[in-house]
Amino acid sequence: MGLFNRKTDTATTTATPTATLDVDPALTALTGEYAIDPAHSSIGFTVRHAMVTNVRGAFGDFSGSLQLNGTDPHHSTAEIDVQIASVDTGIADRDAHLRTGDFFEAEKFPLMSFRSTSAEQLGGDSYRITGDLTIKDVTRPLAIDLEFNGSATDVYGNERVGFEGSAEILRTDWGLTWNAALETGGVMVSDKVKLSFDISAIKAAA
């Protein structure tokens, strides 16, 4: 199901320039505004620690919306705001360090935000959404690869859509430069960070 973009048959379009492309009714039905449901969604990250293991964490407080356009899917958009203070790696002291000026400086820059600028279909239910990611006072482009998991009406009558996504960033590109050298070589925290998204969103009432 092509949600963010639909490819046309160039040969057919050229032969019949006045023809109107059929729109998948299932896609048209998805058109509308959706609010991300944080109770059934997650935004996480994985970073290499001491060169030998991975630390995983997540942000517990976030909000966002999707604007899906089933008739012209590449015009679909997404935006997310994350409360930095909600970072949780399972270790209180480590989380407190992440909130300091060594990393996120959460008191001065409480939000991490993403605003999409374009979307494309990669094939099947795989997509890539590109936008601007802001951390602290730095805004840079970010591409997120997504898998559309489908749509359903839940037991409460809510119309839902679901996505899983991932991306990689270099944290130093956003000013997160703190590190410590290891006696055996290498550094305490890797520059590369893997981001993960598991999103369930509810369609707004008409």
Side-chain angles (χ1 to χ4, degrees):
M1 179 181 292
L3 181 60
F4 287 104
N5 201 358
R6 297 186 58 167
K7 296 181 179 179
T8 62
D9 186 329
T10 303
T12 302
T13 304
T14 301
T16 56
T18 60
T20 300
L21 293 174
D22 293 332
V23 176
D24 188 338
L27 290 180
T28 301
L30 295 180
T31 296
E33 185 174 351
Y34 293 74
I36 292 176
D37 176 11
H40 297 93
S41 304
S42 63
I43 298 176
F45 60 89
T46 304
V47 61
R48 182 76 72 177
H49 177 261
M51 309 296 291
V52 297
T53 190
N54 289 318
V55 168
R56 292 175 174 82
F59 295 93
D61 188 356
F62 55 88
S63 61
S65 62
L66 311 175
Q67 185 68 48
L68 303 185
N69 188 322
T71 304
D72 196 359
H74 72 277
H75 285 154
S76 298
T77 62
E79 59 179 55
I80 300 174
D81 290 319
V82 177
Q83 296 288 338
I84 291 296
S86 70
V87 65
D88 182 5
T89 64
I91 303 295
D93 287 346
R94 180 166 57 207
D95 297 341
H97 188 198
L98 289 172
R99 297 183 188 107
T100 70
D102 284 345
F103 289 96
F104 288 111
E105 201 169 355
E107 187 172 340
K108 183 176 181 181
F109 303 105
L111 283 182
M112 173 172 61
S113 65
F114 176 80
R115 298 291 185 270
S116 68
T117 55
S118 66
E120 61 180 313
Q121 183 177 14
L122 302 180
D125 286 332
S126 297
Y127 306 88
R128 178 169 294 142
I129 188 165
T130 302
D132 295 324
L133 175 66
T134 300
I135 302 175
K136 300 175 75 171
D137 56 351
V138 179
T139 299
R140 295 178 61 89
L142 174 70
I144 303 173
D145 289 338
L146 293 168
E147 188 76 15
F148 176 50
N149 289 337
S151 60
T153 301
D154 67 22
V155 296
Y156 302 105
N158 297 312
E159 296 181 58
R160 291 180 178 267
V161 292
F163 298 89
E164 291 180 72
S166 63
E168 290 188 356
I169 66 171
L170 298 179
R171 61 187 179 88
T172 54
D173 287 345
W174 278 267
L176 306 179
T177 58
W178 183 91
N179 227 321
L182 301 174
E183 291 184 4
T184 54
V187 292
M188 182 68 75
V189 184
S190 68
D191 193 13
K192 181 188 294 185
V193 180
K194 298 178 181 179
L195 305 177
S196 61
F197 307 85
D198 199 342
I199 301 298
S200 178
I202 298 174
K203 191 174 187 180

